[in-house]
Amino acid sequence: MDSWKEAISHSWIYPTVIICANGFFATMRPSESFLTPYLTGPDKNLTIEEVTNQILPVWTYSYLALLFPVFLLTDYLRYKPVLLLQGISLIVTWLLLLFAHGVLAMQVVEFFYGMVTATEVAYYAYIYSVVSTDRYQRVTSYCRSSTLVAATVAAVLGQLLVSLADVSYFYLNAISLASVALAFLCAFFLPMPQKSMFFHRKDASQSLPGPDKVVAPVDSDRPSSCQEDTSSDSAGRGPTPQQQAGNAKPRNHMLRVLVQLSKDLRDCYSSRKLLYWSLWWALATAG
């Protein structure tokens, strides 16, 4: 039985199903279309000027400030902890929406929602660290479809409940809270990736051209503490050239990661089609 569970957890199907469930429940928020009338209605008693000028801009600036550090943290922590952070931020967001009052409390809501949108990169990057490259296209379609279906279901369900069942905005937010809580629960069952794009590369020996392309030692993907432990075993014999290189590696690790990141960005955006697509995506999102 244990071997069967282990085989299932290491296949591409298990993480794909769990990450799709996580994306579905995290996006299935029927109250999101009614945020402004909820804040300006009897539940929160805020003015439209407070909502548009003091509350909603906090999300924009929080998202902008958090995006790059969260991106690096996502890769360093190997995705799953950031997905858990996203789940916690979603729960805090909707708990505050339900029970907190005042402009300051709603600004805190927007900050946590900025954290939610900044950590979305973990959702779209996680699956590529646990499946083989020949399944990238399939799992990408599944992950993207789950969020699009969830957004459609949430919008239709919210409109039907408000228009036909006369459900209050408060209960729509309660439904959203239940959905994001399920997304947080799904994130717990995701297997922890063993590699990432930059900080935990499995192909580190092939990632850098020129002089950096050397044969990596067997323990090159282990934490620096592990490397120090192994080097201490042969302290009496003096460090070998390989051990000296291994000791220097942690000090230069962050620099190599930044160099690799800059090279990947240069390679990606040297494609004119990708550059045009990114510009249109940014304009559509901003609009």
Side-chain angles (χ1 to χ4, degrees):
M1 181 63 69
D2 293 338
S3 60
W4 179 79
K5 290 182 178 180
E6 185 178 356
I8 291 295
S9 64
H10 283 81
S11 71
W12 69 274
I13 299 176
Y14 175 80
T16 302
V17 170
I18 300 299
I19 196 66
C20 286
N22 173 269
F24 179 87
F25 289 118
T27 311
M28 216 291 289
R29 309 186 292 254
S31 63
E32 201 161 22
S33 301
F34 305 96
L35 177 62
T36 299
Y38 174 68
L39 295 178
T40 57
D43 292 291
K44 301 301 177 184
N45 289 317
L46 299 170
T47 66
I48 188 66
E49 289 79 11
E50 289 174 330
V51 172
T52 56
N53 296 332
Q54 300 181 41
I55 296 175
L56 294 181
V58 175
W59 165 68
T60 304
Y61 296 119
S62 300
Y63 179 32
L64 178 63
L66 292 171
L67 188 58
F68 186 72
V70 166
F71 167 72
L72 294 179
L73 189 66
T74 298
D75 191 86
Y76 182 75
L77 297 179
R78 288 176 293 176
Y79 314 113
K80 180 177 178 178
V82 179
L83 286 171
L84 293 172
L85 175 62
Q86 183 189 55
I88 293 173
S89 300
L90 282 167
I91 292 173
V92 171
T93 297
W94 261 268
L95 282 174
L96 292 174
L97 275 176
L98 284 170
F99 303 112
H101 298 274
V103 173
L104 180 59
M106 295 304 103
Q107 289 175 334
V108 175
V109 166
E110 294 302 312
F111 172 79
F112 277 100
Y113 191 70
M115 179 70 73
V116 170
T117 51
T119 52
E120 284 180 352
V121 64
Y123 173 78
Y124 292 106
Y126 169 86
I127 197 65
Y128 303 117
S129 64
V130 293
V131 301
S132 58
T133 55
D134 60 327
R135 302 193 185 276
Y136 278 5
Q137 185 173 1
R138 177 179 294 187
V139 298
T140 300
S141 65
Y142 292 157
C143 293
R144 187 61 177 160
S145 297
S146 66
T147 57
L148 293 176
V149 170
T152 304
V153 171
V156 173
L157 178 62
Q159 193 64 59
L160 290 176
L161 291 176
V162 170
S163 301
L164 301 181
D166 198 25
V167 175
S168 69
Y169 299 140
F170 180 87
Y171 290 109
L172 283 185
N173 282 287
I175 295 173
S176 297
L177 176 61
S179 181
V180 298
L182 287 174
F184 178 66
L185 185 63
C186 290
F188 269 108
F189 294 96
L190 290 170
M192 187 69 180
Q194 300 302 313
K195 61 185 177 68
S196 63
M197 293 176 61
F198 301 106
F199 287 98
H200 307 282
R201 295 176 68 98
K202 291 297 184 183
D203 58 341
S205 62
Q206 301 175 1
S207 60
L208 297 176
D212 293 325
K213 186 177 289 187
V214 296
V215 178
V218 175
D219 295 335
S220 60
D221 291 316
R222 296 172 60 184
S224 58
S225 60
C226 295
Q227 294 175 0
E228 291 168 0
D229 290 339
T230 56
S231 63
S232 63
D233 293 339
S234 57
R237 296 174 293 176
T240 64
Q242 291 82 359
Q243 289 171 337
Q244 290 177 347
N247 291 334
K249 185 177 179 180
R251 293 193 295 269
N252 300 327
H253 186 56
M254 179 62 68
L255 178 61
R256 293 192 302 107
V257 167
L258 294 177
V259 170
Q260 184 64 39
L261 176 61
S262 64
K263 289 181 178 180
D264 286 356
L265 287 175
R266 182 193 62 192
D267 293 341
C268 288
Y269 288 101
S270 61
S271 169
R272 185 171 298 180
K273 290 183 178 179
L274 181 59
L275 183 61
Y276 290 163
W277 180 90
S278 299
L279 289 175
W280 278 113
W281 182 272
L283 291 172
T285 304

